[in-house]
Every structure is written in C-alpha cells, then in structure tokens.
Short mmCIF file of all heavy atoms in Angstrom, two decimals:
data_model
loop_
_atom_site.label_atom_id
_atom_site.label_comp_id
_atom_site.label_asym_id
_atom_site.label_seq_id
_atom_site.Cartn_x
_atom_site.Cartn_y
_atom_site.Cartn_z
N ASN A 1 117.42 238.25 -14.01
CA ASN A 1 118.31 239.37 -13.70
C ASN A 1 118.87 240.04 -14.96
O ASN A 1 119.35 241.16 -14.90
CB ASN A 1 119.46 238.89 -12.82
CG ASN A 1 120.21 240.01 -12.16
OD1 ASN A 1 119.64 240.79 -11.40
ND2 ASN A 1 121.50 240.14 -12.45
N GLY A 2 118.79 239.35 -16.09
CA GLY A 2 119.26 239.93 -17.34
C GLY A 2 118.21 240.74 -18.08
O GLY A 2 118.52 241.34 -19.12
N LEU A 3 116.98 240.78 -17.57
CA LEU A 3 115.91 241.50 -18.26
C LEU A 3 115.93 242.98 -17.89
O LEU A 3 116.17 243.35 -16.74
CB LEU A 3 114.55 240.91 -17.88
CG LEU A 3 114.32 239.44 -18.21
CD1 LEU A 3 112.92 239.00 -17.78
CD2 LEU A 3 114.53 239.15 -19.69
N GLY A 4 115.68 243.83 -18.88
CA GLY A 4 115.57 245.25 -18.64
C GLY A 4 116.88 245.99 -18.49
O GLY A 4 116.89 247.16 -18.11
N LEU A 5 117.98 245.34 -18.78
CA LEU A 5 119.28 245.99 -18.60
C LEU A 5 119.50 247.07 -19.64
O LEU A 5 119.31 246.86 -20.83
CB LEU A 5 120.41 244.96 -18.72
CG LEU A 5 120.63 244.03 -17.52
CD1 LEU A 5 121.68 243.00 -17.87
CD2 LEU A 5 121.05 244.83 -16.30
N ARG A 6 119.92 248.23 -19.20
CA ARG A 6 120.36 249.29 -20.10
C ARG A 6 121.84 249.58 -19.91
O ARG A 6 122.43 250.35 -20.66
CB ARG A 6 119.55 250.57 -19.90
CG ARG A 6 119.73 251.22 -18.55
CD ARG A 6 118.74 252.35 -18.31
NE ARG A 6 119.11 253.09 -17.11
CZ ARG A 6 119.54 254.35 -17.12
NH1 ARG A 6 119.64 255.01 -18.25
NH2 ARG A 6 119.86 254.95 -15.99
N ARG A 7 122.44 249.00 -18.87
CA ARG A 7 123.86 249.07 -18.59
C ARG A 7 124.30 247.67 -18.17
O ARG A 7 123.48 246.89 -17.69
CB ARG A 7 124.16 250.03 -17.44
CG ARG A 7 123.66 251.44 -17.61
CD ARG A 7 124.63 252.30 -18.40
NE ARG A 7 124.27 253.71 -18.31
CZ ARG A 7 123.34 254.30 -19.06
NH1 ARG A 7 122.65 253.58 -19.95
NH2 ARG A 7 123.06 255.59 -18.93
N PRO A 8 125.59 247.33 -18.29
CA PRO A 8 126.06 246.07 -17.72
C PRO A 8 125.74 246.01 -16.23
O PRO A 8 125.82 247.02 -15.52
CB PRO A 8 127.58 246.11 -17.98
CG PRO A 8 127.73 247.01 -19.16
CD PRO A 8 126.66 248.06 -19.03
N ALA A 9 125.38 244.83 -15.76
CA ALA A 9 124.92 244.69 -14.38
C ALA A 9 126.06 244.80 -13.37
O ALA A 9 125.80 244.99 -12.17
CB ALA A 9 124.20 243.36 -14.19
N GLY A 10 127.30 244.67 -13.82
CA GLY A 10 128.42 244.82 -12.89
C GLY A 10 128.44 243.81 -11.78
O GLY A 10 128.95 244.08 -10.69
N GLY A 11 127.88 242.61 -12.02
CA GLY A 11 127.85 241.58 -10.99
C GLY A 11 126.72 241.71 -10.00
O GLY A 11 126.63 240.92 -9.05
N ILE A 12 125.84 242.69 -10.17
CA ILE A 12 124.71 242.88 -9.26
C ILE A 12 123.61 241.89 -9.63
O ILE A 12 123.12 241.88 -10.75
CB ILE A 12 124.15 244.31 -9.34
CG1 ILE A 12 125.23 245.33 -8.94
CG2 ILE A 12 122.92 244.45 -8.44
CD1 ILE A 12 124.83 246.76 -9.23
N VAL A 13 123.23 241.05 -8.69
CA VAL A 13 122.08 240.16 -8.85
C VAL A 13 120.98 240.69 -7.94
O VAL A 13 121.16 240.76 -6.72
CB VAL A 13 122.43 238.70 -8.49
CG1 VAL A 13 121.18 237.82 -8.63
CG2 VAL A 13 123.55 238.18 -9.38
N ALA A 14 119.87 241.09 -8.53
CA ALA A 14 118.80 241.74 -7.77
C ALA A 14 118.31 240.82 -6.65
O ALA A 14 117.91 239.68 -6.90
CB ALA A 14 117.65 242.10 -8.69
N THR A 15 118.32 241.33 -5.44
CA THR A 15 117.92 240.52 -4.29
C THR A 15 116.45 240.14 -4.35
O THR A 15 116.06 239.10 -3.82
CB THR A 15 118.22 241.27 -2.98
OG1 THR A 15 119.55 241.81 -3.04
CG2 THR A 15 118.14 240.34 -1.79
N LEU A 16 115.62 240.96 -4.98
CA LEU A 16 114.20 240.62 -5.10
C LEU A 16 114.03 239.25 -5.74
O LEU A 16 113.24 238.42 -5.26
CB LEU A 16 113.46 241.68 -5.92
CG LEU A 16 112.00 241.36 -6.26
CD1 LEU A 16 111.17 241.15 -5.00
CD2 LEU A 16 111.40 242.47 -7.12
N TYR A 17 114.77 238.99 -6.81
CA TYR A 17 114.63 237.70 -7.49
C TYR A 17 115.09 236.55 -6.59
O TYR A 17 114.48 235.47 -6.56
CB TYR A 17 115.41 237.68 -8.79
CG TYR A 17 114.88 238.63 -9.85
CD1 TYR A 17 115.75 239.41 -10.60
CD2 TYR A 17 113.52 238.72 -10.10
CE1 TYR A 17 115.28 240.27 -11.58
CE2 TYR A 17 113.03 239.58 -11.08
CZ TYR A 17 113.92 240.36 -11.82
OH TYR A 17 113.45 241.21 -12.79
N LYS A 18 116.16 236.78 -5.83
CA LYS A 18 116.63 235.73 -4.92
C LYS A 18 115.61 235.49 -3.80
O LYS A 18 115.40 234.35 -3.39
CB LYS A 18 118.00 236.10 -4.35
CG LYS A 18 119.12 236.06 -5.39
CD LYS A 18 120.51 236.17 -4.78
CE LYS A 18 120.85 237.55 -4.33
NZ LYS A 18 122.28 237.68 -3.93
N HIS A 19 114.98 236.55 -3.35
CA HIS A 19 113.96 236.41 -2.29
C HIS A 19 112.75 235.64 -2.83
O HIS A 19 112.20 234.77 -2.15
CB HIS A 19 113.54 237.78 -1.78
CG HIS A 19 113.45 237.85 -0.29
ND1 HIS A 19 113.69 238.99 0.44
CD2 HIS A 19 113.12 236.91 0.62
CE1 HIS A 19 113.52 238.75 1.73
NE2 HIS A 19 113.16 237.50 1.86
N LEU A 20 112.34 235.98 -4.05
CA LEU A 20 111.19 235.28 -4.65
C LEU A 20 111.51 233.83 -4.98
O LEU A 20 110.59 233.03 -5.19
CB LEU A 20 110.73 236.02 -5.90
CG LEU A 20 110.14 237.42 -5.67
CD1 LEU A 20 109.73 238.05 -7.00
CD2 LEU A 20 108.94 237.38 -4.72
N ALA A 21 112.80 233.48 -5.02
CA ALA A 21 113.19 232.10 -5.30
C ALA A 21 112.75 231.15 -4.19
O ALA A 21 112.78 229.93 -4.38
CB ALA A 21 114.70 232.01 -5.51
N LEU A 22 112.33 231.69 -3.04
CA LEU A 22 111.73 230.83 -2.02
C LEU A 22 110.46 230.18 -2.53
O LEU A 22 110.02 229.16 -1.98
CB LEU A 22 111.42 231.67 -0.77
CG LEU A 22 112.63 232.20 0.01
CD1 LEU A 22 112.17 233.21 1.06
CD2 LEU A 22 113.39 231.06 0.66
N TRP A 23 109.87 230.77 -3.57
CA TRP A 23 108.67 230.23 -4.21
C TRP A 23 108.99 230.08 -5.71
O TRP A 23 108.68 231.01 -6.51
CB TRP A 23 107.48 231.17 -4.02
CG TRP A 23 107.17 231.48 -2.59
CD1 TRP A 23 106.38 230.76 -1.74
CD2 TRP A 23 107.64 232.61 -1.83
NE1 TRP A 23 106.31 231.37 -0.52
CE2 TRP A 23 107.08 232.51 -0.54
CE3 TRP A 23 108.47 233.70 -2.12
CZ2 TRP A 23 107.32 233.44 0.46
CZ3 TRP A 23 108.72 234.63 -1.13
CH2 TRP A 23 108.16 234.50 0.14
N PRO A 24 109.59 228.97 -6.13
CA PRO A 24 110.00 228.84 -7.54
C PRO A 24 108.87 229.09 -8.53
O PRO A 24 109.09 229.63 -9.61
CB PRO A 24 110.51 227.40 -7.62
CG PRO A 24 111.02 227.13 -6.24
CD PRO A 24 110.06 227.83 -5.32
N GLY A 25 107.64 228.74 -8.16
CA GLY A 25 106.52 229.01 -9.05
C GLY A 25 106.33 230.49 -9.30
O GLY A 25 105.89 230.90 -10.38
N MET A 26 106.67 231.32 -8.32
CA MET A 26 106.57 232.77 -8.49
C MET A 26 107.60 233.25 -9.51
O MET A 26 107.33 234.18 -10.28
CB MET A 26 106.77 233.47 -7.15
CG MET A 26 106.66 234.99 -7.24
SD MET A 26 105.04 235.55 -7.85
CE MET A 26 105.38 237.28 -8.18
N LEU A 27 108.77 232.63 -9.53
CA LEU A 27 109.76 233.00 -10.54
C LEU A 27 109.24 232.69 -11.94
O LEU A 27 109.48 233.45 -12.88
CB LEU A 27 111.08 232.25 -10.30
CG LEU A 27 111.87 232.63 -9.04
CD1 LEU A 27 113.16 231.82 -9.00
CD2 LEU A 27 112.18 234.12 -9.00
N ASN A 28 108.53 231.57 -12.08
CA ASN A 28 107.95 231.24 -13.39
C ASN A 28 106.90 232.25 -13.80
O ASN A 28 106.84 232.68 -14.96
CB ASN A 28 107.35 229.82 -13.35
CG ASN A 28 108.41 228.75 -13.24
OD1 ASN A 28 109.49 228.88 -13.80
ND2 ASN A 28 108.10 227.69 -12.50
N LEU A 29 106.04 232.66 -12.85
CA LEU A 29 105.05 233.69 -13.15
C LEU A 29 105.73 235.00 -13.54
O LEU A 29 105.30 235.70 -14.46
CB LEU A 29 104.14 233.92 -11.95
CG LEU A 29 103.04 232.89 -11.67
CD1 LEU A 29 102.32 233.24 -10.37
CD2 LEU A 29 102.04 232.83 -12.82
N THR A 30 106.80 235.33 -12.82
CA THR A 30 107.53 236.57 -13.10
C THR A 30 108.13 236.54 -14.49
O THR A 30 108.06 237.54 -15.23
CB THR A 30 108.63 236.77 -12.04
OG1 THR A 30 108.03 236.83 -10.75
CG2 THR A 30 109.42 238.04 -12.29
N TRP A 31 108.70 235.41 -14.88
CA TRP A 31 109.25 235.29 -16.24
C TRP A 31 108.16 235.46 -17.29
O TRP A 31 108.35 236.16 -18.29
CB TRP A 31 109.95 233.95 -16.40
CG TRP A 31 110.52 233.75 -17.78
CD1 TRP A 31 109.93 233.09 -18.82
CD2 TRP A 31 111.76 234.26 -18.28
NE1 TRP A 31 110.74 233.14 -19.94
CE2 TRP A 31 111.87 233.84 -19.63
CE3 TRP A 31 112.78 235.01 -17.72
CZ2 TRP A 31 112.97 234.17 -20.43
CZ3 TRP A 31 113.89 235.33 -18.50
CH2 TRP A 31 113.96 234.91 -19.83
N SER A 32 107.01 234.83 -17.04
CA SER A 32 105.92 234.92 -18.02
C SER A 32 105.41 236.34 -18.17
O SER A 32 104.90 236.72 -19.23
CB SER A 32 104.76 233.99 -17.61
OG SER A 32 104.08 234.48 -16.47
N LEU A 33 105.56 237.16 -17.12
CA LEU A 33 105.14 238.56 -17.18
C LEU A 33 106.19 239.42 -17.87
O LEU A 33 105.87 240.25 -18.73
CB LEU A 33 104.90 239.08 -15.76
CG LEU A 33 104.65 240.58 -15.61
CD1 LEU A 33 103.29 240.96 -16.17
CD2 LEU A 33 104.77 241.00 -14.15
N LEU A 34 107.45 239.26 -17.49
CA LEU A 34 108.49 240.19 -17.90
C LEU A 34 109.10 239.87 -19.26
O LEU A 34 109.50 240.80 -19.98
CB LEU A 34 109.61 240.22 -16.85
CG LEU A 34 109.22 240.72 -15.46
CD1 LEU A 34 110.44 240.71 -14.55
CD2 LEU A 34 108.60 242.11 -15.51
N GLU A 35 109.20 238.60 -19.62
CA GLU A 35 109.89 238.27 -20.86
C GLU A 35 109.21 238.86 -22.09
O GLU A 35 109.90 239.41 -22.97
CB GLU A 35 110.04 236.74 -20.99
CG GLU A 35 110.99 236.28 -22.05
CD GLU A 35 110.37 236.21 -23.44
OE1 GLU A 35 109.12 236.05 -23.51
OE2 GLU A 35 111.12 236.31 -24.44
N PRO A 36 107.86 238.84 -22.20
CA PRO A 36 107.23 239.52 -23.35
C PRO A 36 107.49 241.03 -23.34
O PRO A 36 107.63 241.64 -24.41
CB PRO A 36 105.73 239.20 -23.17
CG PRO A 36 105.71 237.96 -22.35
CD PRO A 36 106.87 238.07 -21.42
#
C-alpha cells in the first residue's frame, strides 16, 4: 500500500491488496512485480 504514493495515503488502505490477501502467494508475486 506504500508503493506508488505521490500524496500521503490519509489512512486509505487499498481494498485490492486486502482482497488479494486471500491468496498470500499472490501478494508475493505482486511485490516482486511492483517493487522494482
């Protein structure tokens, strides 16, 4: 949720990431894609 921020998040946690947390392996794939 801290990736790609151009403004403070204001306490907003993107629901997409919470939804994908049903599959923790998908979160790992997502990190490997977005962090670089």
Side-chain angles (χ1 to χ4, degrees):
N1 195 60
L3 300 180
L5 284 174
R6 65 190 190 113
R7 304 275 192 278
I12 299 170
V13 178
T15 313
L16 173 59
Y17 293 136
K18 291 191 285 189
H19 224 149
L20 294 179
L22 292 170
W23 303 273
M26 181 60 192
L27 292 182
N28 291 324
L29 283 176
T30 301
W31 179 264
S32 71
L33 172 71
L34 297 181
E35 193 277 334

